[in-house]
Every structure is written in structure tokens, then in C-alpha cells.
């Protein structure tokens, strides 16, 4: 009897938890959408249009109109932040004690990109079945109205010419190879995808990924020799690669559709330089296959200037670079501030950041490996006795854990938070913004930041995406 009652109580409590979850659940804001010509059957004749619609849906829209569409959408996203917060405040507080809604930020017009076409410095191409039925087609994935998907080679004029050239050369190679394509790791095959990145000088670094399946180590080594010969002395030499990496990652995968990191499955340099050198705002950065750098360098340089201007950096300012990656923001900010500390949970990224600081003869940029929550106190000790601290977050699409924002709110030395969002409509980015500005409550008793301004930059021309620089300051 007791056991039956306990199960009923447990079920009741579970239902209450589910009800509370859905009551406060945050869903993704509607993305910017534009109707394109629906293609019923993708063929050799229309595959170029199909892939442009899929990857760059605004490719045939005048650029001035693209900016107008994005301005309207960004205003909508910001208004939705406040609608969601208003709903949460109503659900979480009694009518007599309900806090007022925070003031809204100033939203600037989007900053246009100086380059509209062929701006991406990094691409990933899949190995899948093309319109001709060949399973060894290298390119992007496009779908038709029937829900069928095919692989389409990258299109000249949209993708960088050197990326298109490499994709074609690699496709030619694997079509001559006896090894089969791997579309699903659990179904066999070897060739999975390639990554190609280039710098502003035109140097190209490529990474070939395979699933080893039944291959022996000797067979993998022989294939690496064949690839090296093809891209150094054979038809692939037309690509003039600066470096070529190889990764055999199948043994480390928990899912048939995911890829292993370089830490789990090391990248093997087949030939060429270990790093691809890139110049950003006068500084030099060494890029490895796993390094993150903004895909549009010219726009990124403008964005960093706007970040530093919004943060009002001065020689008395100390910068917390949270999610610092290879150290780009820390290194670029160093000439204007007292010092910087970057935190990133990826040890390899921290090592790259330290190396990049050395390349630029910078000694006041410090880097710590670990989670932001666990290393924030250590970072602040390094910045003492500075009372003017600016925290800059440039996380991935999914933002950061809300505990990070609560930690920032609870740190009085931090006067300003700059949050850079590449997908501002993502549910976790919404959670992050709300965690910064929502009034004090049970989860966070520290005072909130004021949402001061939004500076959009068009990091991704021809697409429906935009990058937002959001500034939050202490309430005066």
C-alpha cells in the first residue's frame, strides 16, 4: 500500500515538474525567413540555384534590401526578449510584488559588410550522393519539396574560388579511389567530409576526414601516401595547398552522425606548414584545423572595433575575455587596456592563445584553461586592483550556462558586459540575456545589468543571419 501511494506521489510530483518546465520553457524565436522558388526535383541544370537557396537564401536580393530585412528582424528579436521576460515575471511573482520590466536598449542599424561575395574563409563539405546518383559527391546538402536531399558541389561566385577548386580536386580523387563513401558510420564506408580554410593572402589549409571501419593501420598509411602524392605532384597540385591534414576518427565516435574532435582523434599533418597565418587588425594569428576565427575577416575587424568602442576601453580598464578561443579579442584589446585575462575550457585553444600572444610580442594578456564559473575568481585576482573590469563574451551559437551570467552579476568589479551573439534567436541566448537583465530574485539576488545598446553587424551577407553586439552596464 505504501509503495503504491509513493508511486502516486512520485507521479504527481513528476507531472508538477513537467508543468512547471513548460510554463517557463523558452523556445527559439522565429528566424528571418524569405520565400524562395521551391524546386520540386533537383537536377544538374538547377542544382546551382537549389544550393544557393539552401546556403545563401538572400543571394538574389539587393544588398540594401538584405540590410532592411535584417534590421526589421533584429528589432523583432529584441522585442521578443522583453515579451518573454514579461511573461516570466508574471508567472514568478505575485501581482503586488511584481517587479517592473527593465528599460529597452537602443538598437542601431546593422553595419554592412565590406565584402558581400566569397567572404567565407572556412567551409565544410560533405561526401554524399549527388544528382547524378554518384555517392562520392563533395559539397553542400540541398533538399527539394519532397523532402529528398542531394549533395551539390559548391558554386563559384558564392564560395571562395580556392575552396571550390579543392572540393572538385578531392571529389576527383575519391571517385578514383577503391574506398567507398561513408554516409552513415554504422552502414560502412570511409570518406566522410573535408574542411578547407584560407587566409587573406590566398594560402589554403585542408583537412580530410575518414572513418577507418575495417581498414588496418598499414592501409590507412598507404592511403595517406596516395593523397599526399595526388595533392603535391598529381592533378590535385593545382590547388597549391599550404598544408594538408588527415583525420581518422571513427573509433572515437559515440554517434553514427557525429565527428570526433582533434583531441580525441589527432590531426595528422601530411605535408606543408603546421599553421595557417592570418592577419587581423594588424596582429598575426596562427590557425590550426580546429581554430575558431570569424568567417568574414574584414567584417570581423570592424566588429572588434565596435566592441572596444562600446566597452569604452581605457588604460585603466581590465578585460575579461570569456570563451577566449585562440585569444583574438584579448590580443587586439591589449594596446588599449591595463591587461586582459582570457578563459576557455579548451586546453588546446588556450595553448594557441598563448602562442598567438607570443607571436605579437604581447605580455599583458593572460590565459586560463577551465570553465568560466570555476576560474572567474582566479581571473579577477590577476586583474586586481582594477575596479574597472569589462567582461566580453563571444560564445558559440548556444550561448553559455546561465550560472556564468549569475557569476558576472555577483561580481561588483565588472561594470560592463559585452555579449556577442551569432544566433540571437536561439533559446539559450535568450536565457542568457534574461539572466543578465532580469530583476533580483531567488535564483540571483545580485543586482542586474541594464541593457544599454544593440549594435548589429552583417557578418553573414546573403544569408538570413546577423551578429549582435549587446552592451549591458551596471544600473546607475
Amino acid at each position: 500500500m505504501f509503495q503504491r501511494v509513493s508511486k502516486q506521489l512520485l507521479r504527481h510530483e513528476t507531472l508538477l515538474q513537467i508543468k512547471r518546465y513548460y510554463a517557463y520553457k523558452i523556445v527559439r524565436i522565429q528566424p528571418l525567413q524569405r520565400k524562395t522558388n521551391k524546386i520540386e526535383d533537383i537536377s544538374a541544370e538547377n542544382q546551382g540555384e537549389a544550393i544557393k537557396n539552401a546556403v545563401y537564401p538572400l543571394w538574389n536580393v539587393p544588398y540594401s534590401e538584405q540590410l532592411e530585412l535584417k534590421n526589421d528582424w533584429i528589432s523583432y528579436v529584441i522585442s521578443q526578449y522583453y515579451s518573454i521576460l514579461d511573461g516570466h515575471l508574471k508567472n514568478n511573482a505575485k501581482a503586488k510584488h511584481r517587479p517592473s520590466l527593465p528599460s529597452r536598449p537602443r538598437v542601431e542599424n546593422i553595419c554592412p559588410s565590406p565584402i558581400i561575395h566569397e567572404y567565407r574563409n572556412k567551409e565544410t563539405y560533405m561526401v554524399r550522393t549527388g544528382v547524378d546518383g554518384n555517392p562520392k559527391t563533395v559539397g553542400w546538402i540541398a533538399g527539394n519539396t519532397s523532402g529528398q536531399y542531394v549533395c551539390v558541389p559548391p558554386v563559384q561566385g558564392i564560395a571562395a574560388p580556392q575552396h571550390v577548386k579543392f572540393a572538385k580536386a578531392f571529389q576527383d580523387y575519391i571517385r578514383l579511389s577503391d574506398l567507398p563513401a561513408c554516409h552513415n558510420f554504422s552502414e560502412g564506408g570511409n570518406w566522410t567530409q573535408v574542411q578547407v580554410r584560407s587566409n587573406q593572402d590566398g594560402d589554403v589549409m585542408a583537412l580530410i576526414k575518414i572513418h577507418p571501419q575495417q581498414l588496418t593501420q598499414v592501409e590507412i598509411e598507404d592511403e595517406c601516401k596516395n593523397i599526399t602524392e595526388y595533392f603535391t605532384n598529381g592533378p590535385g597540385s593545382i590547388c597549391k595547398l599550404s598544408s594538408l591534414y588527415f583525420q581518422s576518427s571513427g573509433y572515437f565516435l559515440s554517434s553514427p552522425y557525429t565527428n570526433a574532435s582533434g583531441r580525441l582523434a589527432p590531426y595528422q599533418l601530411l605535408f606543408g606548414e603546421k599553421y595557417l597565418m592570418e592577419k587581423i587588425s594588424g596582429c598575426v594569428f596562427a590557425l590550426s584545423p580546429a581554430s575558431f576565427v570569424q568567417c568574414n575577416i574584414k567584417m570581423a575587424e570592424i566588429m572588434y572595433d565596435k566592441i572596444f568602442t562600446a566597452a569604452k576601453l581605457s588604460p585603466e580598464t581590465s578585460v575579461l575575455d570569456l570563451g577566449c578561443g585562440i585569444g583574438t579579442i584579448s590580443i587586439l584589446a591589449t594596446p588599449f587596456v591595463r591587461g586582459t585575462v582570457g578563459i576557455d575550457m579548451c586546453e588546446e585553444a588556450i595553448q594557441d592563445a598563448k602562442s598567438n600572444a607570443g607571436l605579437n610580442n604581447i605580455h599583458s594578456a593572460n590565459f586560463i584553461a577551465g570553465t568560466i564559473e570555476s576560474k572567474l575568481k582566479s581571473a579577477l585576482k590577476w586583474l586586481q586592483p582594477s575596479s574597472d573590469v569589462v567582461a566580453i563574451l563571444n560564445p558559440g551559437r548556444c550561448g553559455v550556462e546561465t550560472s556564468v551570467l549569475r557569476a558576472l552579476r555577483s561580481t561588483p568589479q565588472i561594470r560592463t558586459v559585452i555579449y556577442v551573439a551569432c544566433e540571437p534567436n536561439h533559446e539559450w541566448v535568450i536565457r542568457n540575456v534574461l539572466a543578465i537583465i532580469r530583476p533580483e530574485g531567488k535564483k540571483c539576488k545580485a543586482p542586474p545589468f541594464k541593457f544599454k545598446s544593440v549594435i548589429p553587424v552583417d557578418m553573414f551577407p546573403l544569408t538570413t543571419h546577423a551578429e549582435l553586439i549587446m552592451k549591458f552596464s551596471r544600473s546607475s
Side-chain angles (χ1 to χ4, degrees):
M1 177 66 179
F2 175 77
Q3 186 178 14
R4 185 165 65 249
V5 172
S6 297
K7 286 183 178 180
Q8 289 175 347
L9 288 173
L10 180 61
R11 182 174 178 273
H12 177 69
E13 182 63 28
T14 302
L15 289 173
L16 283 177
Q17 290 176 357
I18 293 172
K19 185 177 180 180
R20 292 192 192 103
Y21 171 77
Y22 280 103
Y24 307 126
K25 183 182 178 183
I26 294 176
V27 296
R28 190 171 303 202
I29 296 171
Q30 185 74 13
L32 173 59
Q33 294 179 330
R34 180 180 179 274
K35 291 184 178 180
T36 56
N37 295 328
K38 297 292 183 180
I39 297 177
E40 294 184 4
D41 294 306
I42 301 176
S43 63
E45 289 72 27
N46 63 24
Q47 64 176 343
E49 180 182 355
I51 201 62
K52 285 190 285 187
N53 288 343
V55 181
Y56 295 101
L58 301 182
W59 65 275
N60 59 351
V61 177
Y63 191 53
S64 59
E65 188 177 333
Q66 292 182 39
L67 298 178
E68 290 177 9
L69 289 170
K70 293 184 180 185
N71 278 329
D72 291 342
W73 180 73
I74 291 162
S75 296
Y76 168 73
V77 169
I78 301 302
S79 69
Q80 287 299 107
Y81 288 170
Y82 283 83
S83 296
I84 294 168
L85 178 58
D86 189 44
H88 279 223
L89 294 178
K90 287 178 180 178
N91 287 331
N92 285 289
K94 296 179 181 179
K96 292 183 179 179
H97 304 286
R98 179 171 173 261
S100 59
L101 205 61
S103 59
R104 299 194 178 209
R106 182 186 75 257
V107 182
E108 298 184 7
N109 285 330
I110 191 168
C111 179
S113 172
I115 301 175
I116 302 174
H117 299 279
E118 301 176 358
Y119 60 86
R120 289 194 64 91
N121 54 33
K122 180 182 175 183
E123 302 281 7
T124 297
Y125 299 127
M126 308 302 294
V127 179
R128 294 292 187 272
T129 302
V131 294
D132 59 355
N134 195 315
K136 294 181 179 179
T137 301
V138 178
W140 291 312
I141 307 300
N144 60 18
T145 55
S146 303
Q148 296 176 327
Y149 293 89
V150 295
C151 190
V152 178
V155 181
Q156 192 80 34
I158 300 292
Q162 58 267 42
H163 298 178
V164 176
K165 187 181 292 184
F166 173 75
K168 176 64 168 61
F170 178 68
Q171 178 176 281
D172 290 343
Y173 176 83
I174 64 174
R175 287 187 173 184
L176 294 172
S177 169
D178 292 332
L179 300 182
C182 176
H183 298 171
N184 183 317
F185 298 152
S186 63
E187 296 176 357
N190 304 108
W191 305 111
T192 60
Q193 61 176 256
V194 291
Q195 172 188 298
V196 56
R197 72 188 317 160
S198 54
N199 61 16
Q200 296 181 89
D201 291 333
D203 301 321
V204 181
M205 170 189 285
L207 167 65
I208 295 173
K209 297 187 177 187
I210 72 160
H211 190 299
Q213 302 287 3
Q214 76 292 343
L215 296 178
T216 65
Q217 187 59 38
V218 172
E219 289 173 320
I220 292 175
E221 291 174 0
D222 287 343
E223 194 62 43
C224 287
K225 292 177 183 178
N226 293 336
I227 293 171
T228 301
E229 176 64 22
Y230 179 84
F231 281 101
T232 53
N233 300 315
S237 61
I238 191 175
C239 300
K240 298 180 180 179
L241 297 180
S242 301
S243 56
L244 180 61
Y245 280 86
F246 179 86
Q247 185 191 37
S248 176
S249 59
Y251 296 130
F252 304 91
L253 303 173
S254 58
S255 166
Y257 298 101
T258 56
N259 293 286
S261 66
R263 186 178 182 182
L264 288 175
Y267 303 120
Q268 177 185 348
L269 180 62
L270 298 186
F271 67 83
E273 301 295 327
K274 183 178 180 180
Y275 295 104
L276 188 70
M277 310 306 292
E278 181 63 285
K279 293 180 181 179
I280 305 175
S281 298
C283 291
V284 180
F285 294 86
L287 307 180
S288 66
S291 297
F292 171 79
V293 68
Q294 293 289 347
C295 68
N296 183 345
I297 294 296
K298 292 298 184 185
M299 186 73 255
E301 291 176 331
I302 296 172
M303 182 185 75
Y304 294 133
D305 285 342
K306 289 187 174 294
I307 288 173
F308 300 154
T309 300
K312 295 183 178 179
L313 301 182
S314 74
E316 288 74 41
T317 304
S318 295
V319 171
L320 275 174
D321 184 6
L322 306 179
C324 64
I326 63 170
T328 311
I329 288 176
S330 288
I331 291 168
L332 296 181
T334 297
F336 312 109
V337 299
R338 178 175 174 270
T340 68
V341 176
I343 304 174
D344 201 290
M345 65 186 301
C346 178
E347 293 182 7
E348 290 85 352
I350 290 296
Q351 291 303 317
D352 287 345
K354 291 177 179 179
S355 298
N356 286 324
L359 281 174
N360 293 280
N361 198 29
I362 288 173
H363 306 288
S364 57
N366 302 287
F367 300 98
I368 307 174
T371 63
I372 297 172
E373 307 98 294
S374 66
K375 299 299 181 180
L376 186 58
K377 287 184 179 180
S378 300
L380 289 169
K381 286 182 180 179
W382 282 18
L383 297 176
Q384 286 178 353
S386 178
S387 59
D388 180 16
V389 179
V390 173
I392 301 177
L393 291 92
N394 187 9
R397 295 179 183 274
C398 299
V400 296
E401 291 290 335
T402 51
S403 58
V404 171
L405 289 318
R406 289 196 290 269
L408 297 184
R409 283 179 56 162
S410 301
T411 307
Q413 299 100 306
I414 299 174
R415 66 164 172 85
T416 299
V417 172
I418 303 292
Y419 189 109
V420 184
C422 64
E423 193 171 335
N425 61 315
H426 194 283
E427 54 266 34
W428 272 103
V429 175
I430 303 170
R431 289 178 188 272
N432 286 176
V433 172
L434 268 55
I436 297 173
I437 66 172
R438 71 181 306 150
E440 299 170 48
K442 291 181 179 180
K443 290 187 177 180
C444 186
K445 296 182 179 181
F449 286 87
K450 269 190 176 180
F451 199 168
K452 302 294 288 185
S453 63
V454 178
I455 307 169
V457 294
D458 193 19
M459 190 66 68
F460 318 102
L462 311 179
T463 77
T464 55
H465 303 289
E467 194 117 354
L468 302 190
I469 303 167
M470 296 183 280
K471 178 181 178 180
F472 305 89
S473 296
R474 290 289 183 188
S475 300
S476 57

